[in-house]
């Protein structure tokens, strides 16, 4: 059953970025992780770190006030780690520049019944290659999924117990407010904005609370691709007064959302969705 699931399924996982501690709110991201990886992508991780099955479990004191084990067992080094509950079930696989500090963070923020022991594989280098750490994490994840047919609960997208909800940057505002007299035309502000930012999404509502289904879908697609993008709320009449009509003229596009990449209009929700499905959007971000 596990092998069938491994061959056929892709899971949407919460991918912990390098952080200390790893459970802080800024330490998460989302990664669509295919369960089958090419051997070349795993060799670096296998060569540099122990496998999950080869790492020995280290007990975590039940009380957060109790000190952790000595640094030889849980060193303050970069590496990958897995946290187990009292029943021996793997709850979360993390990656950190300081695994000891990350485990300490979990003890303070995660329920005690989810943190009984930890497996650790660290690098001998103070600043190891980032790709090696990422590949080690992927290798541990794949090993567990191949053995059980499922991801650790804490690594499944939507579970914020371990890594916290992602922090979204605030929406950009074109003006300080309607009461402020602009010294340059609004169209010039739009032109400057789309040329100074790689990806700009003009949406209805805010990034954290889109006000229409199309805007919500666009934000989801951009975030799923890991795009570095900014958003502008076209419904904010206080700080973006007149934006909707001016932007329609500027872009020669009548509807919203509107997504600009590299200073050029790419399109709205339908076009972005189609490009994402064909893999064209990911290729565009890599340019």
């Amino acid at each position: 059953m596990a092998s069938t699931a491994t061959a056929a399924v892709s899971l949407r996982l919460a991918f912990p970025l390098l952080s200390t501690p790893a459970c802080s709110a800024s330490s998460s991201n989302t990664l669509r992780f295919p369960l089958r990886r090419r051997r070349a992508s795993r060799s670096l991780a296998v060569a540099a770190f122990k496998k999950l099955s080869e790492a020995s479990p280290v007990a975590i004191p039940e009380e957060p006030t109790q000190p952790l084990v000595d640094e030889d067992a849980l060193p303050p080094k970069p590496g990958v780690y897995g946290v187990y509950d009292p029943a021996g079930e793997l709850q979360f696989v993390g990656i950190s520049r300081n695994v000891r500090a990350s485990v300490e963070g979990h003890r303070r923020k995660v329920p005690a019944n989810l943190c009984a022991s930890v497996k650790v594989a660290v690098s001998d280098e103070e600043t190891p290659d980032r790709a090696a750490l990422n590949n080690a994490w992927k290798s541990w994840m794949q090993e567990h999924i191949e053995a059980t047919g499922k991801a650790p609960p804490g690594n499944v997208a939507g579970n914020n117990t371990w890594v916290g909800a992602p922090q979204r940057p605030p929406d950009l505002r074109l003006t300080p407010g309607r009461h402020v007299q602009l010294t340059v035309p609004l169209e010039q502000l739009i032109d400057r904005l789309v040329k100074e930012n790689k990806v700009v999404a003009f949406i209805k509502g805010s990034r954290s609370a889109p006000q229409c289904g199309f805007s919500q879908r666009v934000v989801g697609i951009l975030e799923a691709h890991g795009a570095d993008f900014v958003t502008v709320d076209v419904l904010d009449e206080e700080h973006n007064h007149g934006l909707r009509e001016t932007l329609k003229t500027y872009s020669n596009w009548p509807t919203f959302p509107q997504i600009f990449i590299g200073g050029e209009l790419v399109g709205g929700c339908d076009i972005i969705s189609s490009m994402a499905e064909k893999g064209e959007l990911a290729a565009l971000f890599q340019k």
Side-chain angles (χ1 to χ4, degrees):
M1 179 67 71
S3 60
T4 301
T6 302
V9 181
S10 290
L11 297 177
R12 192 165 180 262
L13 306 177
F15 181 67
L17 300 180
L18 301 182
S19 64
T20 306
C23 62
S24 64
S26 61
S27 62
S28 65
N29 201 348
T30 303
L31 170 70
R32 187 166 292 279
F33 174 46
L35 305 188
R36 285 195 178 276
R37 309 293 288 181
R38 294 177 298 177
R39 291 183 179 273
S41 68
R42 296 186 62 197
S43 59
L44 184 59
V46 173
F49 298 91
K50 293 180 181 178
K51 293 182 178 180
L52 176 63
S53 57
E54 295 174 346
S56 301
V58 177
I60 300 175
E62 185 174 348
E63 294 295 330
T65 56
Q66 293 179 278
L68 285 174
V69 294
D70 60 78
E71 292 186 358
D72 289 337
L74 194 57
K77 292 183 177 181
V80 60
Y81 62 95
V83 185
Y84 291 77
D85 65 16
E89 296 291 332
L90 181 61
Q91 294 293 316
F92 178 72
V93 175
I95 181 173
S96 176
R97 291 190 177 93
N98 186 328
V99 294
R100 185 180 182 86
S102 293
V103 173
E104 281 280 18
H106 291 315
R107 293 177 72 204
R108 298 188 187 99
K109 298 184 180 181
V110 176
N113 65 342
L114 298 180
C115 300
S117 63
V118 60
K119 287 186 176 183
V120 175
V122 297
S123 172
D124 291 331
E125 302 177 15
E126 291 187 7
T127 55
D129 181 72
R130 187 186 181 106
L133 287 172
N134 291 347
N135 283 336
W137 180 85
K138 295 175 185 178
S139 178
W140 277 34
M141 288 295 302
Q142 181 171 342
E143 185 179 345
H144 177 74
I145 293 171
E146 288 177 344
T148 66
K150 60 183 180 180
N155 291 101
V156 176
N159 185 326
N160 297 325
T161 301
W162 296 87
V163 296
Q167 298 296 303
R168 289 171 167 169
D171 303 283
L172 296 186
R173 295 170 171 177
L174 290 179
T175 73
R178 295 182 64 169
H179 63 286
V180 177
Q181 182 68 38
L182 296 180
T183 58
V184 296
L186 186 58
E187 185 168 332
Q188 187 174 330
L189 293 179
I190 296 172
D191 186 67
R192 184 185 305 169
L193 176 67
V194 300
K195 289 179 179 177
E196 291 180 352
N197 296 275
K198 184 174 181 180
V199 184
V200 181
F202 292 93
I203 63 174
K204 291 183 178 181
S206 66
R207 180 170 179 169
S208 58
Q211 296 299 303
C212 77
F214 297 119
S215 294
Q216 184 175 29
R217 177 162 177 74
V218 162
V219 169
I221 290 173
L222 294 176
E223 289 185 341
H225 280 71
D228 181 14
F229 69 102
V230 298
T231 53
V232 183
D233 182 4
V234 299
L235 300 181
D236 183 355
E237 282 297 317
E238 174 60 30
H239 300 94
N240 302 323
H241 179 63
L243 174 60
R244 277 178 291 177
E245 294 306 316
T246 305
L247 185 58
K248 289 178 183 179
T249 302
Y250 175 85
S251 63
N252 195 27
W253 192 268
T255 60
F256 300 99
Q258 295 184 18
I259 295 80
F260 288 75
I261 301 178
E264 299 293 334
L265 175 69
V266 175
C269 181
D270 290 344
I271 293 178
I272 292 296
S273 299
S274 177
M275 292 179 67
E277 292 173 0
K278 297 176 182 178
E280 298 172 351
L281 194 60
L284 186 59
F285 289 143
Q286 294 174 359
K287 291 183 179 180

